[in-house]
Amino acid sequence: MTTNQTVATTIDTANAERAGAVVGYLPAGYPDVQTSVDAAVALAENGVDVIELGLPYSDPVMDGPVIQRAAEESLANGFRVAQVFDAVHQITERADVPVLVMTYWNPVLRYGVDRFADDLVAAGAAGLITPDLIPDEATEWMSSSERTGLDRVFLAAPSSSDARMQQAVAASRGFVYAVSTMGVTGARAGVDVAARTVVSRLRDAGVARTCVGLGISTAEQVAEVLEYADGAIVGSAFVRALADLGVQGVADRAADLTTGARRS
């Protein structure tokens, strides 16, 4: 069931029909490959617009403790890079939503950038989110993504210079990932006011679509973010639900959190 919707059109549709898009993150292979696929499909079936599938990595510098523990367990259970393509294929066969792979850059380099891009396309993925890759060091990925038509999502943070913001806007395709807080991911009681500033600066730089991540864990926070951003990215809350309550827990949490995307 490979979707005809791109990430961009999916976000645009969500903003036309509702308050905005919800992007849901889960790590591939946690607690095992099949369960991670079932959980991702459950996100799509319960209102999540775009799936962000994390590639487990041994040095996840941006991930908080919940996601780190899940990645460690996935790797300990033998997860390998090549398995992410099978997971994406299984998800896109069952769910009509775009799937972006979130990965640190070193595994892509080791695998081979062109080979990674080709295997992403074959699996039905929409593109990559690359948290530790900056546009001016992304020449090879820019070339591969142009050749294959894959989306490339770069990050912008409160600490980003105006020049870096403009680079992220110019280089990204799909959306720009606005990091709402300094530090690592994880649910927080209140989404940082810094997020509004980051999004405002990205708008000034001409961004077409920007989604806010890091720290969103309630429907109220989703609604708050969608007042000024095009999408809200939820990660740790879904990973915790999977750890505590399994696939049904993920489904229930998604159904709850996506109510924040309804227009009041």
Side-chain angles (χ1 to χ4, degrees):
M1 190 192 290
T2 302
T3 182
N4 293 319
Q5 286 266 82
T6 66
V7 171
T9 58
T10 298
I11 292 172
D12 289 348
T13 300
N15 278 271
E17 297 178 352
R18 305 190 308 279
V22 177
V23 180
Y25 169 92
L26 285 170
Y30 175 75
D32 55 73
V33 174
Q34 191 57 56
T35 304
S36 68
V37 168
D38 293 343
V41 172
L43 291 181
E45 292 174 343
N46 287 276
V48 169
D49 300 287
V50 177
I51 291 170
E52 177 185 344
L53 190 67
L55 180 62
Y57 184 50
S58 57
D59 186 26
V61 293
M62 197 183 115
D63 297 326
V66 172
I67 293 174
Q68 279 189 28
R69 281 194 297 271
E72 287 166 3
E73 184 171 332
S74 177
L75 291 169
N77 290 339
F79 187 87
R80 295 294 177 261
V81 170
Q83 290 177 281
V84 78
F85 306 109
D86 180 51
V88 169
H89 179 70
Q90 288 190 57
I91 295 165
T92 56
E93 284 286 295
R94 294 169 55 190
D96 190 22
V97 301
V99 179
L100 289 164
V101 171
M102 194 288 278
T103 179
Y104 293 93
W105 193 238
N106 196 45
V108 181
L109 277 179
R110 288 204 309 262
Y111 193 85
V113 178
D114 280 332
R115 179 184 170 212
F116 200 100
D118 289 338
D119 288 353
L120 275 179
V121 171
L128 285 182
I129 300 171
T130 50
D132 64 340
L133 182 69
I134 56 176
D136 52 6
E137 295 177 0
T139 304
E140 198 173 355
W141 169 229
M142 298 289 282
S143 174
S144 289
S145 55
E146 283 303 310
R147 177 178 60 81
T148 54
L150 289 165
D151 283 342
R152 45 182 187 255
V153 177
F154 292 100
L155 273 64
S159 59
S160 299
S161 66
D162 289 345
R164 185 73 74 203
M165 291 272 186
Q166 289 161 358
Q167 278 186 318
V169 169
S172 292
R173 185 161 56 202
F175 64 91
V176 175
Y177 192 131
V179 179
S180 66
T181 53
M182 300 301 289
V184 299
T185 63
R188 291 174 174 80
V191 175
D192 218 327
V193 293
R196 290 182 185 268
T197 304
V198 174
V199 171
S200 177
R201 293 176 63 204
L202 284 168
R203 299 279 190 223
D204 290 344
V207 76
R209 298 164 203 88
T210 181
C211 300
V212 170
L214 304 190
I216 300 169
S217 59
T218 67
E220 291 75 21
Q221 288 174 342
V222 169
E224 177 189 336
V225 164
L226 293 181
E227 290 174 6
Y228 59 90
D230 304 295
I233 302 169
V234 181
S236 295
F238 289 143
V239 180
R240 187 176 287 108
L242 180 58
D244 294 344
L245 299 166
V247 173
Q248 187 58 51
V250 172
D252 293 342
R253 198 73 201 272
D256 172 50
L257 283 169
T258 55
T259 62
R262 296 176 188 165
R263 284 209 176 96
S264 54

